[in-house]
């Protein structure tokens, strides 16, 4: 629904850069592209096959591994809330900056590029710390 609204906004307002839509939806776009690349090129599975290699899943697993012994039976719920909250912050910042610079295509292109690079670096770092049974083969 958000994607449809953002695309309509860009189509109906010539002052809004098309890159506004990409930046606003950057998390979903980058996650989807990384998933397709990972499944087809690295894992050689169908793009429809589920896995636990999404950024939110890796962050949740990292938190759970680190704090499970300290948090006990509430660890799963708390780690899920923390993972969602941690990912909400950079997405909110991206949206706020996109709104602030909605007409500046070069700014939005740089912002999308930086987000993509940081996303891949964070994802790669979390992949290195996953349990062996979750790693790509």
């Amino acid at each position: 629904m958000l994607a449809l609204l953002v695309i309509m906004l860009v189509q109906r307002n010539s002052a809004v850069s098309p890159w506004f839509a990409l930046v606003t939806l950057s998390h979903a776009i980058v996650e989807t592209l990384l998933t397709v690349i990972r499944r087809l090129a690295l894992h050689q599975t169908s793009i429809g096959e589920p896995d636990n290699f999404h950024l939110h899943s890796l962050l949740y697993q990292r938190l759970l591994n680190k704090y499970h012994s300290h948090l006990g039976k509430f660890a799963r719920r708390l780690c899920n809330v923390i993972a969602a909250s941690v990912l909400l912050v950079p997405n909110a910042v991206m949206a706020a900056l996109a709104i602030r610079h909605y007409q500046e295509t070069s700014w939005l292109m740089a912002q999308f590029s930086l987000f993509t690079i940081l996303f891949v670096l964070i994802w790669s770092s979390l992949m290195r710390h996953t349990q062996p049974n979750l790693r790509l083969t």
Side-chain angles (χ1 to χ4, degrees), residues 93-112:
V93 170
M94 288 290 291
L97 288 172
I99 290 168
R100 171 70 176 92
H101 300 283
Y102 70 93
Q103 294 178 315
E104 302 171 42
T105 298
S106 59
W107 172 272
L108 294 168
M109 290 171 73
Q111 185 179 348
F112 183 80

Side-chain angles (χ1 to χ4, degrees), residues 53-69:
F53 302 119
H54 298 280
L55 185 62
H56 61 275
S57 297
L58 294 171
L59 181 57
Y60 166 77
Q61 191 61 45
R62 177 83 168 128
L63 290 168
L64 192 61
N65 290 343
K66 189 170 185 176
Y67 297 112
H68 185 267
S69 61

Side-chain angles (χ1 to χ4, degrees), residues 73-136:
K73 66 180 184 175
F74 298 108
R76 289 190 181 277
R77 184 174 295 158
L78 187 58
C79 288
N80 194 38
V81 169
I82 292 170
S85 300
V86 165
L87 293 177
L88 181 65
V89 172
N91 286 303
V93 170
M94 288 290 291
L97 288 172
I99 290 168
R100 171 70 176 92
H101 300 283
Y102 70 93
Q103 294 178 315
E104 302 171 42
T105 298
S106 59
W107 172 272
L108 294 168
M109 290 171 73
Q111 185 179 348
F112 183 80
S113 299
L114 180 63
F115 179 84
T116 302
I117 291 166
L118 290 174
F119 189 100
V120 171
L121 289 173
I122 292 168
W123 180 85
S124 298
S125 175
L126 288 170
M127 278 300 291
R128 283 194 297 274
H129 292 96
T130 59
Q131 295 176 352
N133 63 337
L134 290 178
R135 290 188 186 199
L136 296 172

